Amino acid sequence: MNRADSVNTPGRSKSGDRFIPNRGAMDMKVSQFNLSKENETPSAESASPSKKQFQDTLAESMFSAPVDSCKILALKAKAPEPRSGYENRLRVLYSQNHVPAAGAKPISTRHIPTTAERILDAPDLVDDYYLNLLDWSKDNMLAVALGTAVYIWNADSGDVVPLVDLETTNVTSVQWAQQGQYIAIGTDNCEVQLWDITRQKQVRSMNGHSARVGALAWNNHILSSASRDSTIINHDVRQQHHQVSSLRGHHQEVCGLAWSLDGTQLASGGNDNLLNVWESSDLTKPRFTMTEHTAAVKALSWCPFQANTLASGGGTADGCIRFWNTQTGACLNSINTGSQVCALQWSRQYKEIVSSHGFPRNQINVWKYPSMVKVAELSGHDSRVLHLAQSPDGVTLVSAAGDETLRFWKVWQPSEAAKSSVKSNSVKAPIGARAPMASSLTKIR
C-alpha cells in the first residue's frame, strides 16, 4: 500500500526482537523434575493429602521456592509495552469466541426475514457493475434509473412518478441531495443534471467530463461527480461557474464515490483497483492510496457509529470487504466473501453491515461488526445484486439486480422497546407481494 503519510507502528525494543532465555533465573534440576512429572500417571498413594503435605514441606527445605512456582523457562525481560493508544487490529480475532462470565446476561437475538417483503419490476435496469442507479432520500422517496428514464417511487403512498426520460442517452447515476428536495443525475453523454423534485423541473446542467458520469456524491452544496475519464469534479451548485476543483488520482473509470458523514474526507474507488481517500482541506492529491484490492473498487460505505472507519468491496477477482482507518491509512480487517462485492450498507440501528454480491449465489449478506460473523443471508435475485439503498428510518433495505427487479427486505427492525419511539417510514406490504411496476413505470414519450 502506497500512502502519502507513513503509518506509525509500535516501537520495538532496542534490545532486539527476540526474547533470550536467562539461565541464571532458572533452576535446571527443578525444571527437569517438573517436566518429567507431567508424564507420570497419578496413583492413589501419591494423591493422598498427607503425602502431598510431606512433599511440599520437603521441597521448601531443599529449594529456595516451591517446586510448582519454579519457572521452566525464564526470559531476560518482559515484552515491550505498545505505544499509548495503540490497538491491535487483530484483537477481534482473539475476542470473537469470548465466553461471557457466569451470571452475564445472554445476548438477545432477533429474527431477520430471509424473503423479500415486496418485489417491484424494474424493466430496462442496466446490468452494469460500474453504474450507481438507486438512491433513497430522507423524505422516503426512492429514485431508480431505468435505461434512459428516472422514476421516483413514494414509499409512503406507493405512487410512482416518472421524473424524466432522456430518450437518446442512458442515465448512469442518481444521488439525492442531503436536504432531499434536489436530485443529481449523471448521464452517458458526460453531463450532470440537477432536478427539483417538488417542481419536477431541471434547474441546471453541469459539464466538465469527457465520458459517462457513473458515480455522484453530495457534501452539502458541493456535488462530486466521477467519470469514466478517470477524473472527479467538485461542483458548487450555488455558483454560476460551478467547477471548483478537479481531482486526479485514478488511471481508469472511477465507479465508487462517497463523502464521510462529517464531510471532511472523500473516498473514491476505481477500475484500476485503487481506493483513494482525499482530505477536503487539500484536494491536490490523495492523502492515502490503498492498493490491497485486486479488482475494481465500487462498493464504499462510511461507518455511522465509528468515526474514520470506511468499508470497501472489491470486484470478482478480489471478492474482499476491507475496513480502513482513514486517519492512519491502516487496514483494520479484511474478509474474503468468495464473490464479487457490488454494494455495501452500514446499519444505523445495529452494529452491522450488509453486502450484496454476484456470481455464484447473487446473495445479500448481513454481517456483525467487528467480528464479521454472518448474521443472515438473503436470497431471491437471479442475477448479481448491483445496488443497495436504505430507508430513512434505517429499517428497510432495497436491492436492485440485473434480473430487473427491486426487492425490499426488513433487515433492521427496531427492538420492542424502541418500536414505540421510532416513526415507521418503511414499506407496508404482504410478504412476497409483487407489484407490477413494469406497467406503472410507463416511459415518457
Side-chain angles (χ1 to χ4, degrees), residues 190-420:
C190 322
E191 184 184 18
V192 177
Q193 298 181 2
L194 188 60
W195 285 74
D196 185 337
I197 190 63
T198 57
R199 295 185 294 164
Q200 291 189 312
K201 181 179 179 181
Q202 182 179 347
V203 293
R204 74 179 306 174
S205 175
M206 295 174 287
N207 297 310
H209 289 292
S210 59
R212 70 178 185 183
V213 181
L216 298 165
W218 284 92
N219 184 15
N220 294 320
H221 56 273
I222 298 296
L223 172 62
S224 300
S225 60
S227 171
R228 182 182 271 178
D229 63 14
S230 76
T231 66
I232 302 168
I233 296 178
N234 286 333
H235 312 266
D236 189 335
V237 298
R238 305 169 302 175
Q239 300 181 12
Q240 180 180 0
H241 301 288
H242 54 85
Q243 186 171 331
V244 293
S245 58
S246 180
L247 287 59
R248 300 180 181 276
H250 292 274
H251 311 296
Q252 296 186 37
E253 180 170 12
V254 183
C255 50
L257 203 61
W259 278 98
S260 62
L261 301 182
D262 61 5
T264 60
Q265 292 184 314
L266 174 66
S268 63
N271 194 38
D272 51 8
N273 309 345
L274 297 181
L275 169 61
N276 287 329
V277 176
W278 311 76
E279 291 286 346
S280 60
S281 57
D282 181 11
L283 295 172
T284 57
K285 62 178 181 179
R287 179 178 180 185
F288 300 110
T289 296
M290 289 72 163
T291 60
E292 278 81 349
H293 284 292
T294 57
V297 183
K298 176 200 172 188
L300 298 173
S301 188
W302 292 89
C303 182
F305 52 82
Q306 186 169 306
N308 306 314
T309 300
L310 172 69
S312 62
T316 305
D318 181 71
C320 290
I321 302 173
R322 297 181 183 273
F323 299 91
W324 309 91
N325 182 329
T326 59
Q327 287 300 310
T328 65
C331 182
L332 304 175
N333 195 9
S334 175
I335 180 170
N336 192 334
T337 67
S339 59
Q340 183 184 52
V341 183
C342 301
L344 294 168
Q345 280 282 326
W346 288 94
S347 170
R348 298 193 294 271
Q349 303 278 358
Y350 302 91
K351 289 188 176 181
E352 295 175 353
I353 188 170
V354 166
S355 58
S356 67
H357 301 272
F359 180 83
R361 296 198 304 275
N362 305 314
Q363 82 279 17
I364 299 169
N365 291 332
V366 184
W367 308 88
K368 197 74 177 175
Y369 183 83
S371 65
M372 292 309 287
V373 172
K374 189 186 294 185
V375 178
E377 181 174 311
L378 315 178
S379 58
H381 282 292
D382 298 326
S383 182
R384 56 183 178 177
V385 187
L386 295 166
H387 314 289
L388 293 175
Q390 189 176 162
S391 62
D393 63 1
V395 173
T396 304
L397 188 77
V398 60
S399 57
D403 58 10
E404 298 187 344
T405 64
L406 304 180
R407 295 174 187 259
F408 296 82
W409 315 84
K410 282 273 193 175
V411 179
W412 295 307
Q413 298 188 67
S415 62
E416 292 295 331
K419 283 182 179 178
S420 58

Side-chain angles (χ1 to χ4, degrees), residues 23-313:
R23 297 182 181 276
M26 295 186 294
D27 190 319
M28 300 301 294
K29 293 182 178 180
V30 175
S31 298
Q32 184 179 6
F33 172 72
N34 284 334
L35 286 173
S36 62
K37 77 174 183 177
E38 289 182 357
N39 299 323
E40 293 180 355
T41 303
S43 61
E45 182 182 356
S46 63
S48 64
S50 59
K51 187 167 185 178
K52 178 69 167 61
Q53 183 178 6
F54 172 75
Q55 290 176 342
D56 291 342
T57 305
L58 182 63
E60 289 179 4
S61 63
M62 295 180 63
F63 306 109
S64 59
V67 174
D68 292 339
S69 65
C70 290
K71 293 182 179 180
I72 296 176
L73 184 66
L75 304 177
K76 285 186 176 180
K78 293 183 179 180
E81 294 292 332
R83 62 177 172 80
S84 177
Y86 173 75
E87 184 174 341
N88 191 335
R89 66 178 183 176
L90 298 179
R91 178 185 176 189
V92 62
L93 300 179
Y94 307 140
S95 59
Q96 178 174 331
N97 297 321
H98 173 71
V99 178
K105 293 183 179 179
I107 299 174
S108 61
T109 58
R110 74 185 195 281
H111 171 66
I112 300 178
T114 56
T115 56
E117 181 195 32
R118 186 167 187 170
I119 305 172
L120 300 180
D121 287 319
D124 299 331
L125 182 74
V126 180
D127 186 3
D128 191 328
Y129 174 78
Y130 300 98
L131 307 184
N132 294 271
L133 306 177
L134 186 72
D135 197 26
W136 206 328
S137 78
K138 77 172 189 64
D139 295 326
N140 215 16
M141 310 285 276
L142 181 68
V144 56
L146 304 179
T148 61
V150 176
Y151 295 90
I152 308 297
W153 182 69
N154 188 321
D156 291 323
S157 65
D159 296 334
V160 177
V161 177
L163 179 64
V164 61
D165 191 336
L166 303 179
E167 297 188 354
T168 59
T169 185
N170 278 344
V171 176
T172 51
S173 54
V174 293
Q175 183 75 35
W176 287 100
Q178 290 148 322
Q179 294 78 9
Q181 180 181 355
Y182 298 97
I183 186 172
I185 299 173
T187 69
D188 205 21
N189 66 352
C190 322
E191 184 184 18
V192 177
Q193 298 181 2
L194 188 60
W195 285 74
D196 185 337
I197 190 63
T198 57
R199 295 185 294 164
Q200 291 189 312
K201 181 179 179 181
Q202 182 179 347
V203 293
R204 74 179 306 174
S205 175
M206 295 174 287
N207 297 310
H209 289 292
S210 59
R212 70 178 185 183
V213 181
L216 298 165
W218 284 92
N219 184 15
N220 294 320
H221 56 273
I222 298 296
L223 172 62
S224 300
S225 60
S227 171
R228 182 182 271 178
D229 63 14
S230 76
T231 66
I232 302 168
I233 296 178
N234 286 333
H235 312 266
D236 189 335
V237 298
R238 305 169 302 175
Q239 300 181 12
Q240 180 180 0
H241 301 288
H242 54 85
Q243 186 171 331
V244 293
S245 58
S246 180
L247 287 59
R248 300 180 181 276
H250 292 274
H251 311 296
Q252 296 186 37
E253 180 170 12
V254 183
C255 50
L257 203 61
W259 278 98
S260 62
L261 301 182
D262 61 5
T264 60
Q265 292 184 314
L266 174 66
S268 63
N271 194 38
D272 51 8
N273 309 345
L274 297 181
L275 169 61
N276 287 329
V277 176
W278 311 76
E279 291 286 346
S280 60
S281 57
D282 181 11
L283 295 172
T284 57
K285 62 178 181 179
R287 179 178 180 185
F288 300 110
T289 296
M290 289 72 163
T291 60
E292 278 81 349
H293 284 292
T294 57
V297 183
K298 176 200 172 188
L300 298 173
S301 188
W302 292 89
C303 182
F305 52 82
Q306 186 169 306
N308 306 314
T309 300
L310 172 69
S312 62

